[in-house]
Amino acid sequence: MRKHENLPKSTLRVALDWEVDAIDPPTSFGGWTTGRVVQQVFESLFEDDLEDEAANPTRLIPALATSVEISNDGLQYLFRLRDGVRFHDGCRFDAEAVRFNIERMWNPQAPQYSPVAADYNRIGLEALKSVEVLDPLSVLMTLEEPFPEFLRYMTQEDAPGAHVYLSPQALKIHGNAGIADRAPGTGPFRFDCRFSTRFGSGVRLIGNNDYWGGVPRLDGIEFKPYPKSEDRYEALLNGEADLAYGLEGTDLDELKRRGFVVVDGQVPHVWYFIFNMRDPVLCDVRVRHAIAHALDRDALCNDIFKGHTVAASGMLPPASPAFDGTYCFPYEYDPERARQLLKEAGVASNWRLHIMSAKAGGGDTVRICDYLATSLEAVGYGAEIVWTEDWISYCHQWRSGLPDGVGVSHMSWGMSCDVWLDQVLHSRNSSPHGFNAGYYSNPTVDNLLDKARRSQDDLQRLQLYRRANKQIMDDLPVLPVLNLRRGNVCYHPRVKGFCNPSQDWNSFKNVWIDSNI
């Protein structure tokens, strides 16, 4: 076990853009705000190597498993588990704990079954046929059909859901209804408490001195919400926070001038609008194309976000395996073409686009939605935005699908796992039974995504996802807006040992604070 006796112990203060959802990862929502906390407390059998800053996409490494043997037909996964691991409550991690957690997310007959956990983790486990305990440190999982992204999907701790392990003993004591914020994991930090801040509930973690991977260098971490980017920026400057997420669009050059570290790099993030395909106006593809032509995404990135973001080329985000840097978004900024298409579609001059969004928690939503509204006004139409104040409430509302009368909603998401495209755009995942919130359905796309999900040939799988992305962009049920480039993470130079992988969350197990800076 690694020791760090010569390094000072301290607490890292992290500024997030919203409050953290109730911490029961398989049933939590809240996106990366919650996922960045979950990452420190819970683990899966395999994880991203979050210490590797060069790999793009992230490299997969054993975590609670030490190895996996995959059968030639891609149907059987034999996991050898790490010995000596205990949950934060002292309960032993073993093959029975794996079975217990998997059945909570997968087996309706299990007493610990959670319909919410099953819903949120369905994509990762729907191909599972059986889970067998072979001995205390060996688990055999058998699939109904090949799903070569099975391991990579385990790493997606981005809430909604997370394929991670928590103490069976605690679940038996508290039950599904009472386990939130009481769920012991196996990670380098454990949940301590929630505490009040001027912007809402914060979360305090403390170091797990019995962590199988070595004693963490920090005593603890405090995650504090700051819904506005300017407040997160100010928290860094005035010393309230040591590290902040989501500062794209602020004065990053001034931060650097003052000695702060501004992180550049690709992460699997795409900020996008979802069209309501049941809407009588937006169901016409010409209207959706017109809206794309009306939106100057380059100006949005350069003028409003100061070049810290780039216009998205499609729905496959950077740092995902199938991302194609040569693919070009097919709709140039052309307001005259937008007017022409809207006229051809017979859209009434008094038509207004109804937008559903949250004021914080999913990127700088206010400025992006306002920009879309202004862009429509510039071509002779208009928009009305219905705001939700609370990000987590918005996530649940968005998850249930766009209601009648709402034309567009927004989301910022993405994964380093290409099956994400299936998760948000396959017809079988239409809300409220999935995350296809706009009810898009195209049999050609479904067929491509089905083939990609099963293909064991890496090159063929990437090509299938790229073909699906191209067809999706032709149909345009969603409008990708931007990807992040700079300012996703910024921190004070007293923060040492921080690594910035091609992922939307980080590991803080080897981070420490230099109190002399």
Side-chain angles (χ1 to χ4, degrees), residues 256-434:
K256 288 195 72 171
R257 188 186 71 77
R258 296 192 182 204
F260 290 86
V261 179
V262 176
V263 173
D264 296 357
Q266 292 186 327
V267 292
H269 172 115
V270 58
W271 205 109
Y272 63 106
F273 287 112
I274 302 101
F275 291 116
N276 187 345
M277 300 296 284
R278 297 175 179 175
D279 184 270
V281 175
L282 291 165
C283 65
D284 189 324
V285 69
R286 293 171 295 184
V287 177
R288 303 194 299 275
H289 287 181
I291 293 172
H293 283 299
L295 190 66
D296 190 344
R297 302 174 315 135
D298 289 325
L300 174 68
C301 292
N302 294 328
D303 299 343
I304 294 182
F305 287 98
K306 303 181 180 180
H308 305 153
T309 63
V310 295
S313 62
M315 283 297 284
L316 289 169
S320 64
F323 175 70
D324 184 359
T326 67
Y327 177 77
C328 295
F329 186 69
Y331 308 99
E332 295 182 356
Y333 173 58
D334 188 343
E336 187 52 44
R337 178 63 176 154
R339 294 185 189 96
Q340 179 185 350
L341 286 168
L342 289 165
K343 183 178 179 181
E344 288 177 6
V347 178
S349 59
N350 63 349
W351 176 74
R352 296 176 66 81
L353 179 67
H354 290 261
I355 303 170
M356 183 177 83
S357 187
K359 283 195 173 179
D364 201 329
T365 58
V366 172
R367 288 193 288 179
I368 297 174
C369 289
D370 283 347
Y371 192 82
L372 175 61
T374 301
S375 299
L376 285 172
E377 289 167 3
V379 296
Y381 293 85
E384 179 179 316
I385 307 173
V386 179
W387 295 109
T388 299
E389 294 291 335
D390 177 75
W391 167 245
I392 294 172
S393 296
Y394 172 76
C395 284
H396 287 285
Q397 180 184 10
W398 171 82
R399 170 67 170 75
S400 65
L402 272 69
D404 292 343
V406 173
V408 164
S409 66
H410 100 272
M411 186 49 64
S412 56
W413 200 0
M415 289 184 176
S416 57
C417 185
D418 291 324
V419 79
W420 176 75
L421 202 62
D422 182 306
Q423 182 157 292
V424 296
L425 287 163
H426 196 294
S427 64
R428 70 191 171 88
N429 293 320
S430 288
S431 297
H433 305 294

Side-chain angles (χ1 to χ4, degrees), residues 64 178 211 218 360 366 373 483:
L64 292 178
Y211 180 54
L218 293 164
V366 172
N483 303 131

Side-chain angles (χ1 to χ4, degrees), residues 40 55 92 146 183 403 485:
Q40 318 310 320
R92 183 186 179 195
R485 186 185 70 82

Side-chain angles (χ1 to χ4, degrees), residues 110-360:
Q112 72 274 21
Y113 178 73
S114 163
V116 176
D119 184 18
Y120 288 176
N121 295 277
R122 175 169 58 86
I123 297 296
L125 292 172
E126 63 186 345
L128 185 63
K129 179 180 180 181
S130 65
V131 53
E132 302 173 62
V133 172
L134 303 185
D135 61 52
L137 294 176
S138 301
V139 174
L140 178 66
M141 297 188 196
T142 302
L143 307 185
E144 297 273 7
E145 62 181 19
F147 178 38
E149 295 177 275
F150 186 50
L151 294 183
R152 184 167 285 279
Y153 198 88
M154 288 182 184
T155 72
Q156 306 301 305
E157 294 169 16
D158 58 353
H163 189 146
V164 295
Y165 293 85
L166 49 93
S167 166
Q169 178 176 288
L171 260 173
K172 290 172 183 176
I173 292 172
H174 300 294
N176 286 322
I179 193 66
D181 289 357
R182 296 173 174 172
T186 59
F189 296 90
R190 56 190 177 90
F191 179 82
D192 181 36
C193 66
R194 289 185 182 262
F195 60 96
S196 297
T197 79
R198 59 194 173 110
F199 293 115
S201 169
V203 168
R204 182 177 293 116
L205 308 180
I206 56 177
N208 174 18
N209 291 332
D210 296 319
Y211 180 54
W212 62 263
V215 179
R217 301 185 179 194
L218 293 164
D219 281 329
I221 310 171
E222 288 187 350
F223 293 92
K224 299 190 284 187
Y226 296 85
K228 295 182 179 179
S229 58
E230 52 265 37
D231 290 324
R232 296 192 294 279
Y233 186 92
E234 184 61 29
L236 268 187
L237 289 181
N238 67 21
E240 285 183 30
D242 305 300
L243 181 147
Y245 284 100
L247 293 188
E248 61 278 354
T250 61
D251 193 345
L252 299 181
D253 290 337
E254 175 63 13
L255 271 186
K256 288 195 72 171
R257 188 186 71 77
R258 296 192 182 204
F260 290 86
V261 179
V262 176
V263 173
D264 296 357
Q266 292 186 327
V267 292
H269 172 115
V270 58
W271 205 109
Y272 63 106
F273 287 112
I274 302 101
F275 291 116
N276 187 345
M277 300 296 284
R278 297 175 179 175
D279 184 270
V281 175
L282 291 165
C283 65
D284 189 324
V285 69
R286 293 171 295 184
V287 177
R288 303 194 299 275
H289 287 181
I291 293 172
H293 283 299
L295 190 66
D296 190 344
R297 302 174 315 135
D298 289 325
L300 174 68
C301 292
N302 294 328
D303 299 343
I304 294 182
F305 287 98
K306 303 181 180 180
H308 305 153
T309 63
V310 295
S313 62
M315 283 297 284
L316 289 169
S320 64
F323 175 70
D324 184 359
T326 67
Y327 177 77
C328 295
F329 186 69
Y331 308 99
E332 295 182 356
Y333 173 58
D334 188 343
E336 187 52 44
R337 178 63 176 154
R339 294 185 189 96
Q340 179 185 350
L341 286 168
L342 289 165
K343 183 178 179 181
E344 288 177 6
V347 178
S349 59
N350 63 349
W351 176 74
R352 296 176 66 81
L353 179 67
H354 290 261
I355 303 170
M356 183 177 83
S357 187
K359 283 195 173 179

